[in-house]
Amino acid sequence: RKIWEGMVDEMHTLCNSVASKYYIKNKLLFEEPLSKQYIIDRVNLDIPQRGFIARNKSEKLVGFVTTTTFSTWQRSFRWDSR
């Protein structure tokens, strides 16, 4: 978990970088795909936490995946893909 905590800024930057290229290419208004707080919550709260990171030869983060058992901590839940 400590390794993931140390990568939060890098993961957030990667998400925004890739998304901004997509939005610019398609002439869309930029919307942050994952907030930094959401990434922090996933790293700190998901149990069990599994994942993979991908780095290029110069050790730059080029991708990541985290997984956990799906759960929701609300009385009601609505899947909203916005």
Side-chain angles (χ1 to χ4, degrees):
R1 199 168 294 271
K2 292 286 184 198
I3 293 170
W4 288 99
E5 288 173 355
M7 293 181 359
V8 167
D9 287 333
E10 201 175 7
M11 291 187 291
H12 184 246
T13 299
L14 176 65
C15 286
N16 284 331
S17 174
V18 171
S20 71
K21 289 176 186 176
Y22 173 82
Y23 284 102
I24 289 169
K25 178 182 176 184
N26 293 289
K27 299 179 182 175
L28 300 170
L29 182 63
F30 177 76
E31 295 180 36
E32 184 177 56
L34 295 176
S35 71
K36 186 173 181 180
Q37 188 59 51
Y38 178 82
I39 296 170
I40 290 169
D41 287 348
R42 298 292 53 83
V43 167
N44 291 326
L45 302 175
D46 287 354
I47 299 172
Q49 183 187 37
R50 300 176 198 93
F52 300 93
I53 59 170
R55 294 188 179 275
N56 62 16
K57 290 181 181 182
S58 64
E59 294 298 312
K60 181 180 176 183
L61 184 69
V62 294
F64 67 93
V65 175
T66 63
T67 64
T68 190
T69 305
F70 181 81
S71 61
T72 180
W73 301 97
Q74 301 179 35
R75 287 181 186 232
S76 64
F77 178 75
R78 184 179 84 191
W79 191 269
D80 188 349
S81 61
R82 281 190 282 160

